[in-house]
Amino acid sequence: MSSGQFNAGQARGQAQAKTEEWVESAKDTASKAHDKVCETAGQTQQQAQRSKDENANFLQQTGEQVVHMAQGAIDGVKNTLGMGDKK
């Protein structure tokens, strides 16, 4: 085997090793990116659920306030017309 062939084989081996190193690095980077995306998606889903729950509570409270106001208006009208409960 000549010196040139040896050097060519050595260069090929080094290139292959470097390529494998880059592939592993790319896989690692892709894995980290995937993990981050999954984490962010989970946080977004949790925040959406909290917002949904808060909105449901707000609407329930608002509905109860409207009912109480309407009942107060009805009682006021009844009292004005003399139909209210007399104690």
Side-chain angles (χ1 to χ4, degrees):
M1 179 183 276
S2 73
S3 168
Q5 289 174 328
F6 176 77
N7 288 340
Q10 187 178 19
R12 183 174 183 270
Q14 289 174 347
Q16 186 175 1
K18 194 66 167 172
T19 300
E20 289 173 3
E21 181 182 322
W22 288 343
V23 168
E24 286 304 313
S25 176
K27 286 180 183 179
D28 185 49
T29 301
S31 178
K32 287 178 182 177
H34 175 266
D35 292 346
K36 185 66 176 171
V37 167
C38 288
E39 178 184 340
T40 302
Q43 291 171 350
T44 301
Q45 185 178 16
Q46 290 171 354
Q47 180 59 40
Q49 183 63 44
R50 280 194 297 271
S51 294
K52 180 181 171 185
D53 293 343
E54 289 171 5
N55 289 338
N57 289 337
F58 172 76
L59 291 175
Q60 181 179 1
Q61 290 173 354
T62 302
E64 290 171 358
Q65 290 173 349
V66 169
V67 167
H68 292 302
M69 288 173 51
Q71 187 62 49
I74 290 170
D75 291 343
V77 171
K78 284 182 178 179
N79 289 334
T80 300
L81 297 176
M83 299 171 52
D85 293 335
K86 295 183 180 178
K87 295 181 181 178

